[in-house]
Amino acid sequence: MSERVIIIGASLAGISCAKRLLESGKDLHITLISDENDIAYDRPPLSKSLRPRQPLPVVSLDPSEVLKSERLTIFAGHPAQNIDTINQRVELNGIGVPYDKLVIATGARARHLPVFESAVAPVLTLRTLADAKAIKTRLEKNKSPRVGIIGGGFIGLELAASLSESCSIELFEAQHRLLSRILPLSISDRVAQRHQQANVNIHTDAHIVDVQGHKDSVYLELSDTRKYEFDLVVMGVGAIPNTELAEDAGLVLANGIEVNEFLETTAESIYAIGDCCAFPLYTTGEVIRVESWRNAQEQGLHVAGQIITGEKTQYTGIPWFWSDQYDLGIQMAGWPHSESLKIERIDGDKALIFELDGQHRLIAVAGIGPGNSIAKDIKICERLIRQRVSLSVEQLNDSDIDLKQILKSAG
Amino acid sequence: MGRWIEACAAVDVDEEDLIAVEIEGEDYAIYQDENGEFFATEGHCTHEKVLLADGLVMGDTIECPKHNGCFNYKTGEALGAPVCVNLKTFPCKVENGQVLIELVEV
């Protein structure tokens, strides 16, 4: 009999896993379960390329239509209700679907601020294609919509950049600066300047204390008594991993569904991948949860590979992130630490910030520059992070010394 | 027979690196390997139309600057997800310090 694989979640992690399994030609049957009606679309363009009065930026994750296979059954718009780990079944729509291997790729959902919980007003989040449609519909009701964005993280900033030409935008960040949890000051300052050039008004240390909603507008009040009226407010204040299904099934959680180096959960024959899982970082063993495109894809492929071969292999991915805002590209690799030694390398309009541990080994890097101009350096750094060798601060600091030379002499 | 067109000066391309060139409105990528040999491919990644020139060359591999798709730039072979479509490659030679590519698909 074919091996039965169930994948819960049909975004990048789940789809990458399903496609790899189908392409392997192995005798298996896959059931793909999604609570969303829309499946297999790419999420990054939703915040990076959303424009009023233009087509929704829908990019398929399956352009070659691998998912049309007869060996795949899709339940879209049907949330999995329960995992029975004893009898190895997933329940949905009142039926139990048996599995030999289960892959949980439930992702994360947008966090909501408590102050907005009672609001009936047009306050939206941006995570799914349905969210993007709702935002676009709202925007198209006005010629020059007034948009309030809550949260100066990537989602909020990318949306601000996408909409800056067609909307008037106020962006509110509770922290003292933008992107404070993920990027060094010198990079977030460049980001803030670029947004100001585009007439996006950025308010830091901004705490929303009251929201008054009406049919087509929403009033925000800040702790310093300032008041604003908007046609639409979008919240981008982080994400919460979707772990409830796993928790109810008795799986161990750790800021996400806990998995080992093989991405196996604490339950027999169940893996967890992508934004919902907390896994040990290959280089340090630190348990981390990563919300990133590449992490989702690589973990999906990794679990598929193990199911295909039947052999356990360690997941060795290094976290990598990117953001596009206007003409600026931001990329990061590794996993930053607040107490790390930070070294700056400035080269014209490009900036790189290296983070070193106590032994001067590279643990993380962040870069900003026009277009993809820092991509090459970030990729080299990714290899340096993997090598875990001590580096010279002077060399890293000196933009005349080619990073590739540092990599070659380190290897 | 294709047409041989001057793409760039050989000194413009570092060893184990690449540059972007535009010829007759089309983008190409010109590579030099560690042994001083030159290669040419189409200019964009086959995944999402990103210019490869900002990517990283290591050995025979070019890694796309965006989604980390990898190709063997000497053969054009796509080396795994997210890239599944091979890069087009073009014959390439150096004459009098100029890199020439032959504009016919191989």
Side-chain angles (χ1 to χ4, degrees), chain A residues 341 343 354-357 359-363 380-381 383-385 387-396 403 406-407 409-411:
Chain A
L341 175 64
I343 313 288
F354 307 102
E355 295 202 20
L356 305 182
D357 68 7
Q359 295 172 53
H360 287 188
R361 296 178 301 194
L362 190 64
I363 57 166
I380 292 167
C381 288
R383 288 162 168 83
L384 287 168
I385 291 168
Q387 287 185 354
R388 286 174 67 71
V389 291
S390 297
L391 300 169
S392 148
V393 170
E394 292 71 32
Q395 285 193 353
L396 289 176
L403 281 177
I406 297 178
L407 174 66
S409 52

Side-chain angles (χ1 to χ4, degrees), chain B residues 24-37:
Chain B
E24 297 171 359
E26 296 287 331
D27 292 309
Y28 299 87
I30 309 292
Y31 307 75
Q32 186 182 175
D33 74 3
E34 288 165 295
N35 305 316
E37 212 177 322

Side-chain angles (χ1 to χ4, degrees), chain A residues 63-80:
Chain A
S64 43
E65 301 189 331
V66 176
L67 300 179
K68 285 200 169 156
S69 168
E70 287 173 356
R71 290 185 289 129
L72 177 71
T73 305
I74 299 174
F75 292 96
H78 296 282

Side-chain angles (χ1 to χ4, degrees), chain A residues 3 5 21 26 28 101 103 271 303-310:
Chain A
E3 187 171 14
V5 180
L21 289 171
K26 194 176 154 94
L28 38 74
K101 293 280 190 297
V103 182
Y271 301 91
V303 163
Q306 293 187 95
I307 293 173
I308 293 162
T309 62

Side-chain angles (χ1 to χ4, degrees), chain A residues 154-229:
Chain A
F154 282 141
I155 296 282
L157 291 168
E158 288 175 358
L159 185 65
S162 297
L163 301 181
S164 62
E165 278 186 14
S166 53
C167 307
S168 77
I169 298 176
E170 309 284 333
L171 186 144
F172 304 96
E173 165 58 47
Q175 301 294 315
H176 195 54
R177 64 178 176 90
L178 300 177
L179 297 161
S180 59
R181 283 180 303 125
I182 30 184
L183 282 177
L185 177 65
S186 52
I187 291 185
S188 62
D189 274 356
R190 287 183 186 222
V191 174
Q193 279 170 21
R194 185 65 188 83
H195 278 277
Q196 276 146 9
Q197 281 172 16
N199 294 320
V200 172
N201 290 320
I202 291 176
H203 309 268
T204 51
D205 297 310
H207 299 276
I208 314 286
V209 291
D210 194 29
V211 184
Q212 296 291 326
H214 300 274
K215 188 168 161 282
D216 282 319
S217 56
V218 52
Y219 299 87
L220 296 187
E221 184 176 342
L222 301 194
S223 55
D224 62 7
T225 75
R226 278 181 295 165
K227 291 188 176 71
Y228 295 88
E229 183 185 355

Side-chain angles (χ1 to χ4, degrees), chain A residues 42 59 293-294 297 301 320 322 324 331 372-373 375-376 379-380 382-383 404 407-408, chain B residues 16-18 34 47-48 50 53-58 63-68 81-82:
Chain A
D42 207 12
V59 175
W293 191 92
R294 194 167 101 188
Q297 176 188 260
L301 296 174
W320 177 85
W322 95 93
D324 296 321
Q331 292 196 7
N372 293 321
S373 58
K376 200 179 285 187
K379 286 181 196 304
I380 292 167
E382 209 185 299
R383 288 162 168 83
K404 205 164 181 182
L407 174 66
K408 295 217 153 162
Chain B
E16 208 185 22
D17 205 354
L18 81 161
E34 288 165 295
H47 175 228
E48 275 188 22
V50 176
D54 290 316
L56 176 67
V57 176
M58 295 292 280
E63 189 176 332
C64 170
K66 238 349 163 356
H67 300 105
N68 310 85

